Amino acid sequence: KRIGYAIVGLGNLSLGQILPGFGASKYAKPVALVSGDAGKAKKIAAQYGIDPKNIYNYQNFDHIKDNPEIDAVYIVLPNSMHEEYVVRAAKAGKHVLCEKPMATSAQACQRMIDACKQAGKKLMVAYRIQYEPHNRLAKHWVREQKFGKVKLIDLHNSQNIGDLAQWRLHKALAGGGALPDIGLYCLNTARYLLGEEPHTVTATLYSTPGDVRFKEVEETVLWQMQFPGGALVNASTSYGVHQSRRYRCFGDKGGYFGLDPAFDYERLQMEGAYAEGKQEVKIAPSIKEAQQFALEMDHFARCILENKTPYTPGEEGLQDQKIMEAIYVSAKSGQPVKLEPITTLDTFR
Ligand code: NAD
């Protein structure tokens, strides 16, 4: 059986990646669309062979509860809308896959987790990077200490953001600027690679004075995280410089590796180097690419079919949100912020 998904929000990500991604999926199929634009939804439904009776809008969304073709709902709306639609989907008795960032506050993340628990439904945050083969190999190399123990990881994710009208520049819809949108990849990937939770964060935030793009949300954040095993993470994100999405892990036994690009939808590249005598040998392993959204949707579909907990459950999104909130606190105070130790995530690792 294939799990039937309803896609909520027909914006760039849904049209450019998610709907095409079903073509490469083994366990998932699109069966319903939710959109405020009936004409657009009708056109897209025809394109993907979705029955027009399975088109919903934001008002009649709750009627999905009467539609047995829909097993799961994929929320692809602006960040601050995730909570409402995750909660409504759970109340309608559906499993929920939610885009990142999970929400715009830790309290909202907790309410989403609680709503899904109460409904007895699964909740997964769409952290595609964690299902992607290049990043999975990097995680494996960190864990198996390929070039020794990783002591330092440097991560960066930036893009020069345009289009003043977009929701990403409005705090009420986005929750923040570069940090929750693209900096989150650095944060989440560092935690993924190390399999540990940071105990301290220190951050600096900057927005160019007078740049109208950054009236409500931040432009650039630099932050550092300390992990209990001794690893230090240096991360940066910006909406104000040319795009670059990469990371590098430094081991203590003669080598380093990482990805550049690391967070793109395709053409990711692993790269590194190690010492052989006095020579430095470059490595660039070739890894078979896969459609990242198909991998992620299939993972969730299999969790539903086999009654398992997703690898990136709601608790992962909550933890990232708590750390991002600590990053903002540190940037404001100019002081390091200590994070509460958490153990609940160990059950997913
Ligand atoms: P988008 O602006 O292209 O699409 C958003 C959709 O929401 C549009 O169809 C829009 O009509 C609809 N919408 C409904 N109410 C709205 C409102 N009040 N204001 C604005 N739009 C409204 O955005 P997107 O790039 O598709 O991002 C959607 C979500 O997906 C975000 O949470 C974003 O962080 C996430 N995202 C994830 C990835 C990834 O790689 N996982 C990539 C891009 C976006």
Side-chain angles (χ1 to χ4, degrees):
K1 171 178 156 70
R2 279 177 188 255
I3 290 296
Y5 277 78
I7 305 299
V8 185
L10 299 180
N12 290 323
L13 185 66
S14 292
L15 301 187
Q17 294 294 326
I18 294 171
L19 283 160
F22 282 105
S25 153
K26 291 195 194 111
Y27 302 99
K29 60 179 179 184
V31 297
L33 300 175
V34 183
S35 170
D37 182 338
K40 182 181 184 181
K42 207 169 153 200
K43 202 174 119 217
I44 306 296
Q47 201 181 328
Y48 286 96
I50 295 169
D51 190 335
K53 81 169 171 37
N54 291 351
I55 295 175
Y56 297 85
N57 57 41
Y58 300 115
Q59 288 71 43
N60 67 16
F61 172 65
D62 311 276
H63 295 178
I64 61 168
K65 73 174 187 311
D66 303 318
N67 190 335
E69 285 179 66
I70 303 170
D71 303 296
V73 175
Y74 192 167
I75 310 296
V76 202
L77 292 166
N79 307 341
S80 69
M81 297 176 73
H82 293 177
E83 178 186 4
E84 177 187 342
Y85 286 86
V86 166
V87 171
R88 284 170 72 180
K91 283 192 175 151
K94 307 298 178 185
H95 301 286
V96 203
L97 176 56
C98 178
E99 258 312 325
K100 49 54 61 183
M102 183 174 172
T104 54
S105 73
Q107 289 91 333
C109 294
Q110 190 62 58
R111 287 192 292 268
M112 293 154 82
I113 292 168
D114 294 345
C116 292
K117 245 180 213 145
Q118 209 165 21
K121 295 292 144 186
K122 296 185 193 300
L123 172 60
M124 170 169 148
V125 182
Y127 284 141
R128 61 183 165 83
I129 291 303
Q130 303 197 22
Y131 303 94
E132 187 286 316
H134 297 73
N135 284 282
R136 286 177 68 120
L137 181 62
K139 173 192 146 190
H140 184 62
W141 281 9
V142 172
R143 307 287 179 98
E144 72 165 9
Q145 304 199 349
K146 180 147 179 97
F147 298 122
K149 185 174 154 57
V150 167
K151 286 187 148 175
L152 190 62
I153 306 180
D154 189 52
L155 307 96
H156 176 82
N157 196 357
S158 61
Q159 68 193 54
N160 217 334
I161 198 161
D163 182 11
L164 286 176
Q166 67 182 297
W167 61 263
R168 281 182 172 78
L169 297 176
H170 297 290
K171 192 159 187 188
L173 283 164
L179 181 63
D181 189 26
I182 54 176
L184 176 56
Y185 286 85
C186 303
L187 164 57
N188 190 261
T189 303
R191 294 180 47 244
Y192 168 66
L193 292 169
L194 292 165
E196 289 181 358
E197 298 306 323
H199 58 74
T200 309
V201 298
T202 314
T204 302
L205 187 147
Y206 186 77
S207 299
T208 305
D211 189 326
V212 291
R213 295 174 297 175
F214 309 119
K215 275 199 285 204
E216 295 186 21
V217 300
E218 82 280 353
E219 177 180 1
T220 299
V221 185
L222 313 177
W223 77 100
Q224 292 168 348
M225 298 185 279
Q226 295 175 46
F227 284 76
L232 296 174
V233 167
N234 194 41
S236 55
T237 187
S238 180
Y239 266 169
V241 295
H242 185 69
Q243 72 181 43
S244 176
R245 309 178 176 109
R246 50 132 193 92
Y247 64 81
R248 195 169 268 189
C249 308
F250 299 87
D252 66 0
K253 289 207 176 71
Y256 64 80
F257 57 89
L259 265 64
D260 188 359
F263 309 127
D264 295 32
Y265 298 136
E266 54 191 7
R267 287 193 267 280
L268 303 191
Q269 181 59 55
M270 194 156 188
E271 43 137 60
Y274 62 93
E276 206 170 68
K278 286 192 174 150
Q279 300 275 8
E280 185 165 85
V281 183
K282 296 266 185 222
I283 50 170
S286 156
I287 299 160
K288 194 170 176 319
E289 199 144 62
Q291 215 282 353
Q292 297 178 27
F293 292 86
L295 293 176
E296 158 203 290
M297 292 188 292
D298 274 355
H299 174 81
F300 193 48
R302 289 190 66 173
C303 289
I304 294 167
L305 291 166
E306 296 164 18
N307 194 22
K308 290 192 175 138
T309 302
Y311 188 72
T312 53
E315 285 81 353
E316 275 286 327
L318 169 64
Q319 174 67 354
D320 283 324
Q321 183 62 36
K322 283 183 178 167
I323 299 169
M324 290 193 290
E325 289 176 7
I327 289 170
Y328 285 126
V329 170
S330 171
K332 203 165 177 190
S333 68
Q335 299 295 321
V337 171
K338 296 264 174 227
L339 293 155
E340 304 262 318
I342 63 157
T343 49
T344 47
L345 287 174
D346 291 344
T347 54
F348 308 122
R349 295 214 168 97

